[in-house]
Amino acid sequence: MKTITIAVVQFTPQFGKKKKNLARMQQLVANVTADIIVFPELCTTGYFFQTRDEVAMAAEPATGPAAEFFRNMALEHQAIVVAGFAERAGDSLYNACLVVVPEAAQPWVYRKTHLFYKEKICFDPGDTGFFVVKDARRGVNVGPMICYDWRFPEAARVLMLQGADVIVCPANLVTTAWRKVMPARAIENNVYLAVANRAGSEKRQNEQLTFQGESAIYDINGRVLTAAAASGDEVLQCKIDPRRARDKAFNALNNVVSDRQPQHYKELVMRQNF
Amino acid sequence: MKTITIAVVQFTPQFGKKKKNLARMQQLVANVTADIIVFPELCTTGYFFQTRDEVAMAAEPATGPAAEFFRNMALEHQAIVVAGFAERAGDSLYNACLVVVPEAAQPWVYRKTHLFYKEKICFDPGDTGFFVVKDARRGVNVGPMICYDWRFPEAARVLMLQGADVIVCPANLVTTAWRKVMPARAIENNVYLAVANRAGSEKRQNEQLTFQGESAIYDINGRVLTAAAASGDEVLQCKIDPRRARDKAFNALNNVVSDRQPQHYKELVMRQNF
């Protein structure tokens, strides 16, 4: 059995204090040995932007200092590092996450597909779609989605169909419904799922958001392998066997991928508004 | 507020004893007043067919005596009746369910899309796809799926996208993972969900299946409104407001239908086998 180790870092970014946030993340993983390390959404900048101009000030390209920081971390830990950041690309601004593989020349960048609340004012909708990073060296295929993507079964589904063994989900979750749904994402797709949520709260312009913590790693049966408290910084670690996610059969006659009947799913890709 | 009442009938069909099963169902709903009554999968015949020939002997057309029985029940109770049955149509055999609207000349027939275990030997895969029955008189749109369809988020999703307020799910569930996933089906689609599972067990050719009961009705937030025990016959009833399922917005900026980004979901309708 070839297992790998996933680490999920729950922490409390401070809004606008990028240098401090990077230093804190460095400190939290100092003694971590893992194959994959997952940080929360927008972990470098904090979350609750009010305007596009605010994002423009804080955002950086996928070749900027945050990307360099996480690349150095990936090299030092010899781990895949997944971390949310505010990305500037030309005139566009994205709520994005880096997937840094130590051996790869460039990081992958996933741009959040489904925008939540004031992100719609501050960011552009992601244009990368869903993709999977296949790391033959570590023997694991990693599929990123970000926070509110959880609400759409299509997100995790498309990642699984592209071969994800582990779905990694940097998050800044402010509601709690996800706790009922994340296990389903693991079960329905027969994949591992690592949710790196942030803790703490942010008050901007008299509106306060409280982030719900409880970061968790789920196995392919939706069981919680390890979970964090509702508040506070914490590093979760556990071992998983990616090959368990690749066997989609659960009896002699059923396989949750080949049992799909896509000819009856056409409505899923037609735009329908209510 | 215009609420309607759903009734879910959990009972224990006896294999091959159609007459007895119909009589028992009649008895169970004798004092029920409801707008929708949902019975389990294959409730007229029992479940654990071993061969196609066995099904051929037990199956009947959608104009047969079982359909007539449920039509009479729908007229008597002035309720939409949903009930699983073994359907023969020409040379084809389907694990199907009737959706009988008292005012409609014909019943709708949904043929199970995703076949479980030995159903693959005994039945043809359903060719109807997913559809929604819209009943303006009762003010409710009902979308049927059957048992193992739960495992595929596409099923409930396609029903919601076609306007289902309530997903009705006749079932003969022999595992328990569905209990973690059904609430997610309600939450992700913002719909009510009524699962009519059967109880008891069936032993055929030295293989025994035990059905897990715990039929349940979920609200749009995935909360259990009412649930049955793991064994035994029971009629669940509760009131729901279908209009709550039609408002897909949950804050000033987010709506779980219009937030979908189908341009990134194309993999869902491409056939992919592992």
Side-chain angles (χ1 to χ4, degrees):
Chain A
M1 194 170 81
K2 186 168 184 288
T3 60
I4 63 165
T5 301
I6 303 193
V8 158
V9 183
Q10 174 170 305
F11 89 112
T12 311
Q14 293 184 34
F15 188 78
K17 302 197 170 166
K18 204 184 279 185
K19 200 172 162 187
K20 201 164 179 177
N21 292 334
L22 298 189
R24 177 67 178 146
M25 287 190 272
Q26 185 87 285
Q27 183 186 37
L28 280 165
V29 299
N31 299 311
V32 168
T33 303
D35 299 288
I36 307 174
I37 306 175
V38 190
F39 292 95
E41 180 183 15
L42 293 172
C43 62
T44 61
T45 56
Y47 177 78
F48 203 17
F49 294 102
Q50 301 294 307
T51 66
R52 209 171 153 88
D53 283 350
E54 276 188 4
V55 177
M57 299 275 283
E60 49 184 280
T63 52
E68 197 187 339
F69 169 83
F70 290 116
R71 175 154 181 78
N72 288 338
M73 184 187 285
L75 287 168
E76 188 190 334
H77 289 263
Q78 283 297 299
I80 300 170
V81 172
V82 180
F85 78 118
E87 185 197 6
R88 188 174 56 239
D91 291 333
S92 297
L93 300 168
Y94 298 104
N95 179 341
C97 83
L98 295 158
V99 181
V100 187
V101 177
E103 296 78 22
Q106 301 291 333
W108 282 260
V109 179
Y110 166 65
R111 295 169 174 164
K112 188 176 183 179
T113 302
H114 304 97
L115 298 180
F116 184 77
Y117 198 46
K118 292 190 179 173
E119 292 165 38
K120 292 198 175 188
I121 299 166
C122 301
F123 293 96
D124 295 293
D127 58 356
T128 55
F130 299 97
F131 59 85
V132 171
V133 177
K134 303 194 175 186
D135 182 347
R137 185 167 174 214
R138 289 169 190 77
V140 65
N141 300 334
V142 176
M145 65 183 195
I146 299 179
C147 202
Y148 182 52
D149 287 333
W150 73 263
R151 190 73 166 73
F152 302 85
E154 294 88 349
R157 198 64 158 172
V158 167
L159 291 173
M160 179 278 277
L161 288 170
Q162 292 180 90
D165 307 314
V166 185
I167 294 176
V168 290
C169 184
N172 279 196
L173 290 151
V174 293
T175 65
T176 56
W178 62 275
R179 291 181 196 150
K180 281 192 174 181
V181 176
M182 293 292 187
R185 296 286 169 265
I187 293 169
E188 66 204 14
N189 293 305
N190 197 75
V191 295
Y192 294 93
L193 172 58
V195 180
N197 196 16
R198 63 162 286 181
S201 62
E202 285 182 13
K203 190 172 183 179
R204 309 276 335 272
Q205 293 185 346
N206 294 320
E207 189 175 9
Q208 181 164 305
L209 293 182
T210 300
F211 304 95
Q212 302 293 326
E214 299 198 23
S215 298
I217 303 173
Y218 302 87
D219 76 5
I220 60 167
N221 296 309
R223 286 186 209 107
V224 173
L225 293 170
T226 171
S231 61
D233 296 356
E234 202 169 333
V235 179
L236 305 175
Q237 283 192 75
C238 68
K239 288 189 183 299
I240 63 164
D241 180 357
R243 288 169 308 177
R244 289 191 61 208
R246 293 182 194 182
D247 180 7
K248 304 295 193 189
F250 66 94
N251 65 38
L253 293 163
N254 287 107
N255 175 304
V256 297
V257 175
S258 58
D259 283 349
R260 295 178 75 246
Q261 301 293 331
Q263 72 276 20
H264 294 306
Y265 303 160
K266 287 188 287 291
E267 283 84 356
L268 297 174
V269 294
M270 289 157 29
R271 178 165 290 280
Q272 299 208 17
N273 293 324
F274 274 42
Chain B
M1 193 170 83
K2 187 169 184 289
T3 59
I4 62 165
T5 300
I6 303 192
V8 157
V9 183
Q10 173 170 305
F11 89 112
T12 311
Q14 293 185 34
F15 189 79
K17 302 199 171 164
K18 204 184 283 188
K19 201 172 162 186
K20 201 165 180 177
N21 292 334
L22 298 189
R24 176 66 179 147
M25 288 191 270
Q26 185 87 285
Q27 182 186 39
L28 279 165
V29 299
N31 299 310
V32 168
T33 304
D35 299 289
I36 306 174
I37 305 174
V38 190
F39 292 94
E41 179 183 15
L42 294 172
C43 61
T44 61
T45 56
Y47 178 78
F48 203 16
F49 294 101
Q50 301 293 308
T51 65
R52 208 172 154 89
D53 283 349
E54 276 188 1
V55 176
M57 298 275 285
E60 49 184 281
T63 50
E68 196 187 340
F69 170 81
F70 290 116
R71 175 156 179 75
N72 288 338
M73 183 187 285
L75 287 168
E76 187 190 336
H77 289 262
Q78 283 297 299
I80 299 170
V81 172
V82 179
F85 78 117
E87 185 198 5
R88 187 174 60 238
D91 291 334
S92 298
L93 299 169
Y94 299 104
N95 180 340
C97 83
L98 295 158
V99 180
V100 186
V101 177
E103 297 77 21
Q106 301 289 335
W108 280 260
V109 179
Y110 166 65
R111 294 167 174 166
K112 187 175 184 179
T113 302
H114 304 98
L115 297 180
F116 184 77
Y117 199 46
K118 292 190 179 174
E119 291 166 37
K120 292 196 174 191
I121 300 165
C122 300
F123 292 97
D124 295 293
D127 58 355
T128 56
F130 298 97
F131 60 85
V132 170
V133 177
K134 303 195 175 186
D135 181 346
R137 184 168 174 213
R138 288 168 191 77
V140 65
N141 300 334
V142 176
M145 65 183 197
I146 299 178
C147 202
Y148 181 53
D149 286 333
W150 74 263
R151 191 73 166 73
F152 303 84
E154 295 88 350
R157 198 65 159 171
V158 167
L159 291 173
M160 180 277 279
L161 288 171
Q162 292 180 91
D165 308 314
V166 185
I167 293 175
V168 289
C169 184
N172 279 195
L173 290 151
V174 293
T175 65
T176 58
W178 62 276
R179 291 180 197 151
K180 281 191 174 182
V181 176
M182 292 293 186
R185 296 287 170 264
I187 293 169
E188 67 204 14
N189 294 305
N190 196 75
V191 295
Y192 294 92
L193 172 57
V195 179
N197 196 17
R198 63 162 287 179
S201 63
E202 286 181 12
K203 190 171 183 179
R204 310 276 332 274
Q205 293 185 349
N206 292 321
E207 188 175 10
Q208 180 164 305
L209 294 182
T210 299
F211 304 94
Q212 301 292 326
E214 298 198 23
S215 297
I217 304 174
Y218 302 88
D219 76 5
I220 60 167
N221 297 309
R223 287 187 209 107
V224 173
L225 294 171
T226 172
S231 61
D233 296 358
E234 200 168 334
V235 180
L236 304 176
Q237 284 193 76
C238 68
K239 287 188 183 298
I240 63 163
D241 180 358
R243 288 170 308 177
R244 289 189 63 208
R246 293 181 194 182
D247 180 9
K248 304 295 192 189
F250 67 93
N251 65 37
L253 293 162
N254 287 109
N255 176 303
V256 298
V257 175
S258 57
D259 285 348
R260 295 178 75 246
Q261 302 292 332
Q263 71 276 21
H264 294 305
Y265 303 159
K266 288 188 287 290
E267 282 85 354
L268 296 175
V269 294
M270 290 158 26
R271 179 165 289 280
Q272 300 206 16
N273 293 325
F274 274 42

mmCIF file of all heavy atoms in Angstrom, chain A residues 231-252:
data_model
loop_
_atom_site.group_PDB
_atom_site.id
_atom_site.type_symbol
_atom_site.label_atom_id
_atom_site.label_comp_id
_atom_site.label_asym_id
_atom_site.label_seq_id
_atom_site.Cartn_x
_atom_site.Cartn_y
_atom_site.Cartn_z
ATOM 1 N N SER A 231 -12.796 27.394 15.863
ATOM 2 C CA SER A 231 -11.954 28.595 15.827
ATOM 3 C C SER A 231 -10.510 28.224 16.154
ATOM 4 O O SER A 231 -10.229 27.136 16.655
ATOM 5 C CB SER A 231 -12.472 29.635 16.809
ATOM 6 O OG SER A 231 -12.439 29.109 18.109
ATOM 7 N N GLY A 232 -9.611 29.131 15.847
ATOM 8 C CA GLY A 232 -8.209 28.905 16.174
ATOM 9 C C GLY A 232 -7.422 28.289 15.033
ATOM 10 O O GLY A 232 -7.991 27.731 14.090
ATOM 11 N N ASP A 233 -6.106 28.420 15.135
ATOM 12 C CA ASP A 233 -5.208 27.880 14.115
ATOM 13 C C ASP A 233 -4.861 26.438 14.436
ATOM 14 O O ASP A 233 -4.694 26.071 15.603
ATOM 15 C CB ASP A 233 -3.925 28.724 14.052
ATOM 16 C CG ASP A 233 -4.209 30.157 13.620
ATOM 17 O OD1 ASP A 233 -5.374 30.457 13.302
ATOM 18 O OD2 ASP A 233 -3.264 30.955 13.592
ATOM 19 N N GLU A 234 -4.714 25.633 13.407
ATOM 20 C CA GLU A 234 -4.512 24.204 13.623
ATOM 21 C C GLU A 234 -4.002 23.573 12.332
ATOM 22 O O GLU A 234 -4.440 23.961 11.246
ATOM 23 C CB GLU A 234 -5.877 23.592 13.994
ATOM 24 C CG GLU A 234 -5.822 22.288 14.732
ATOM 25 C CD GLU A 234 -7.216 21.911 15.300
ATOM 26 O OE1 GLU A 234 -8.048 22.808 15.563
ATOM 27 O OE2 GLU A 234 -7.460 20.718 15.447
ATOM 28 N N VAL A 235 -3.110 22.603 12.453
ATOM 29 C CA VAL A 235 -2.682 21.858 11.276
ATOM 30 C C VAL A 235 -3.188 20.422 11.407
ATOM 31 O O VAL A 235 -2.863 19.730 12.377
ATOM 32 C CB VAL A 235 -1.144 21.868 11.114
ATOM 33 C CG1 VAL A 235 -0.744 21.064 9.886
ATOM 34 C CG2 VAL A 235 -0.631 23.295 11.014
ATOM 35 N N LEU A 236 -4.000 20.007 10.446
ATOM 36 C CA LEU A 236 -4.499 18.630 10.411
ATOM 37 C C LEU A 236 -3.585 17.802 9.526
ATOM 38 O O LEU A 236 -3.118 18.289 8.492
ATOM 39 C CB LEU A 236 -5.897 18.581 9.797
ATOM 40 C CG LEU A 236 -6.970 19.453 10.429
ATOM 41 C CD1 LEU A 236 -8.257 19.350 9.601
ATOM 42 C CD2 LEU A 236 -7.217 19.001 11.864
ATOM 43 N N GLN A 237 -3.362 16.557 9.900
ATOM 44 C CA GLN A 237 -2.585 15.679 9.021
ATOM 45 C C GLN A 237 -3.167 14.283 9.050
ATOM 46 O O GLN A 237 -3.551 13.796 10.121
ATOM 47 C CB GLN A 237 -1.134 15.590 9.503
ATOM 48 C CG GLN A 237 -0.312 16.803 9.166
ATOM 49 C CD GLN A 237 1.186 16.530 9.397
ATOM 50 O OE1 GLN A 237 1.826 15.849 8.616
ATOM 51 N NE2 GLN A 237 1.710 17.055 10.471
ATOM 52 N N CYS A 238 -3.221 13.634 7.914
ATOM 53 C CA CYS A 238 -3.560 12.217 7.923
ATOM 54 C C CYS A 238 -3.057 11.543 6.656
ATOM 55 O O CYS A 238 -2.702 12.200 5.678
ATOM 56 C CB CYS A 238 -5.040 11.986 8.118
ATOM 57 S SG CYS A 238 -6.015 12.525 6.756
ATOM 58 N N LYS A 239 -3.040 10.231 6.707
ATOM 59 C CA LYS A 239 -2.585 9.437 5.574
ATOM 60 C C LYS A 239 -3.788 8.982 4.754
ATOM 61 O O LYS A 239 -4.827 8.660 5.307
ATOM 62 C CB LYS A 239 -1.822 8.205 6.070
ATOM 63 C CG LYS A 239 -0.449 8.532 6.635
ATOM 64 C CD LYS A 239 0.339 7.256 6.908
ATOM 65 C CE LYS A 239 1.690 7.564 7.536
ATOM 66 N NZ LYS A 239 2.565 8.395 6.671
ATOM 67 N N ILE A 240 -3.601 8.962 3.452
ATOM 68 C CA ILE A 240 -4.640 8.429 2.565
ATOM 69 C C ILE A 240 -3.970 7.550 1.515
ATOM 70 O O ILE A 240 -2.771 7.667 1.267
ATOM 71 C CB ILE A 240 -5.419 9.549 1.856
ATOM 72 C CG1 ILE A 240 -4.484 10.359 0.931
ATOM 73 C CG2 ILE A 240 -6.091 10.480 2.867
ATOM 74 C CD1 ILE A 240 -5.207 11.196 -0.074
ATOM 75 N N ASP A 241 -4.779 6.681 0.909
ATOM 76 C CA ASP A 241 -4.269 5.826 -0.169
ATOM 77 C C ASP A 241 -5.005 6.202 -1.464
ATOM 78 O O ASP A 241 -6.142 5.784 -1.674
ATOM 79 C CB ASP A 241 -4.509 4.351 0.169
ATOM 80 C CG ASP A 241 -3.980 3.432 -0.930
ATOM 81 O OD1 ASP A 241 -3.490 3.951 -1.974
ATOM 82 O OD2 ASP A 241 -4.065 2.203 -0.758
ATOM 83 N N PRO A 242 -4.369 6.987 -2.324
ATOM 84 C CA PRO A 242 -5.051 7.465 -3.532
ATOM 85 C C PRO A 242 -5.642 6.353 -4.386
ATOM 86 O O PRO A 242 -6.641 6.556 -5.083
ATOM 87 C CB PRO A 242 -3.944 8.206 -4.299
ATOM 88 C CG PRO A 242 -2.962 8.607 -3.254
ATOM 89 C CD PRO A 242 -2.996 7.495 -2.229
ATOM 90 N N ARG A 243 -5.037 5.149 -4.313
ATOM 91 C CA ARG A 243 -5.549 4.078 -5.170
ATOM 92 C C ARG A 243 -6.952 3.641 -4.776
ATOM 93 O O ARG A 243 -7.696 3.105 -5.590
ATOM 94 C CB ARG A 243 -4.583 2.896 -5.164
ATOM 95 C CG ARG A 243 -3.300 3.225 -5.953
ATOM 96 C CD ARG A 243 -2.247 2.183 -5.732
ATOM 97 N NE ARG A 243 -2.045 1.984 -4.287
ATOM 98 C CZ ARG A 243 -1.225 1.089 -3.766
ATOM 99 N NH1 ARG A 243 -0.543 0.297 -4.557
ATOM 100 N NH2 ARG A 243 -1.094 0.994 -2.456
ATOM 101 N N ARG A 244 -7.315 3.869 -3.517
ATOM 102 C CA ARG A 244 -8.690 3.546 -3.096
ATOM 103 C C ARG A 244 -9.699 4.421 -3.829
ATOM 104 O O ARG A 244 -10.846 4.025 -4.020
ATOM 105 C CB ARG A 244 -8.860 3.724 -1.581
ATOM 106 C CG ARG A 244 -8.138 2.658 -0.770
ATOM 107 C CD ARG A 244 -8.563 2.718 0.683
ATOM 108 N NE ARG A 244 -9.994 2.480 0.843
ATOM 109 C CZ ARG A 244 -10.730 2.982 1.841
ATOM 110 N NH1 ARG A 244 -10.174 3.763 2.761
ATOM 111 N NH2 ARG A 244 -12.019 2.704 1.927
ATOM 112 N N ALA A 245 -9.269 5.614 -4.215
ATOM 113 C CA ALA A 245 -10.175 6.519 -4.935
ATOM 114 C C ALA A 245 -10.322 6.130 -6.401
ATOM 115 O O ALA A 245 -11.217 6.615 -7.094
ATOM 116 C CB ALA A 245 -9.670 7.953 -4.822
ATOM 117 N N ARG A 246 -9.442 5.266 -6.872
ATOM 118 C CA ARG A 246 -9.465 4.908 -8.304
ATOM 119 C C ARG A 246 -10.339 3.702 -8.607
ATOM 120 O O ARG A 246 -10.700 3.463 -9.749
ATOM 121 C CB ARG A 246 -8.041 4.668 -8.804
ATOM 122 C CG ARG A 246 -7.254 5.970 -8.773
ATOM 123 C CD ARG A 246 -5.850 5.868 -9.279
ATOM 124 N NE ARG A 246 -5.148 7.091 -8.879
ATOM 125 C CZ ARG A 246 -3.898 7.392 -9.173
ATOM 126 N NH1 ARG A 246 -3.196 6.547 -9.902
ATOM 127 N NH2 ARG A 246 -3.350 8.513 -8.761
ATOM 128 N N ASP A 247 -10.637 2.926 -7.583
ATOM 129 C CA ASP A 247 -11.492 1.761 -7.794
ATOM 130 C C ASP A 247 -12.930 2.192 -7.544
ATOM 131 O O ASP A 247 -13.371 2.333 -6.408
ATOM 132 C CB ASP A 247 -11.099 0.642 -6.839
ATOM 133 C CG ASP A 247 -11.983 -0.583 -7.038
ATOM 134 O OD1 ASP A 247 -12.799 -0.596 -7.985
ATOM 135 O OD2 ASP A 247 -11.870 -1.529 -6.224
ATOM 136 N N LYS A 248 -13.663 2.417 -8.635
ATOM 137 C CA LYS A 248 -15.013 2.965 -8.515
ATOM 138 C C LYS A 248 -16.087 1.878 -8.446
ATOM 139 O O LYS A 248 -17.276 2.176 -8.433
ATOM 140 C CB LYS A 248 -15.308 3.906 -9.687
ATOM 141 C CG LYS A 248 -14.310 5.045 -9.860
ATOM 142 C CD LYS A 248 -14.322 6.027 -8.696
ATOM 143 C CE LYS A 248 -13.556 7.295 -9.035
ATOM 144 N NZ LYS A 248 -13.382 8.177 -7.846
ATOM 145 N N ALA A 249 -15.685 0.607 -8.456
ATOM 146 C CA ALA A 249 -16.650 -0.487 -8.336
ATOM 147 C C ALA A 249 -16.920 -0.745 -6.863
ATOM 148 O O ALA A 249 -16.013 -0.661 -6.036
ATOM 149 C CB ALA A 249 -16.097 -1.749 -8.984
ATOM 150 N N PHE A 250 -18.172 -1.048 -6.505
ATOM 151 C CA PHE A 250 -18.432 -1.387 -5.102
ATOM 152 C C PHE A 250 -19.130 -2.725 -4.930
ATOM 153 O O PHE A 250 -19.405 -3.156 -3.829
ATOM 154 C CB PHE A 250 -19.182 -0.256 -4.382
ATOM 155 C CG PHE A 250 -20.571 -0.006 -4.887
ATOM 156 C CD1 PHE A 250 -21.656 -0.622 -4.279
ATOM 157 C CD2 PHE A 250 -20.792 0.840 -5.959
ATOM 158 C CE1 PHE A 250 -22.939 -0.399 -4.740
ATOM 159 C CE2 PHE A 250 -22.080 1.072 -6.422
ATOM 160 C CZ PHE A 250 -23.158 0.451 -5.818
ATOM 161 N N ASN A 251 -19.430 -3.387 -6.043
ATOM 162 C CA ASN A 251 -19.811 -4.797 -6.006
ATOM 163 C C ASN A 251 -19.512 -5.356 -7.400
ATOM 164 O O ASN A 251 -18.992 -4.627 -8.265
ATOM 165 C CB ASN A 251 -21.289 -4.992 -5.577
ATOM 166 C CG ASN A 251 -22.280 -4.411 -6.566
ATOM 167 O OD1 ASN A 251 -22.101 -4.480 -7.785
ATOM 168 N ND2 ASN A 251 -23.347 -3.816 -6.059
ATOM 169 N N ALA A 252 -19.879 -6.624 -7.634
ATOM 170 C CA ALA A 252 -19.503 -7.256 -8.900
ATOM 171 C C ALA A 252 -20.196 -6.612 -10.106
ATOM 172 O O ALA A 252 -19.742 -6.761 -11.235
ATOM 173 C CB ALA A 252 -19.824 -8.748 -8.839
#
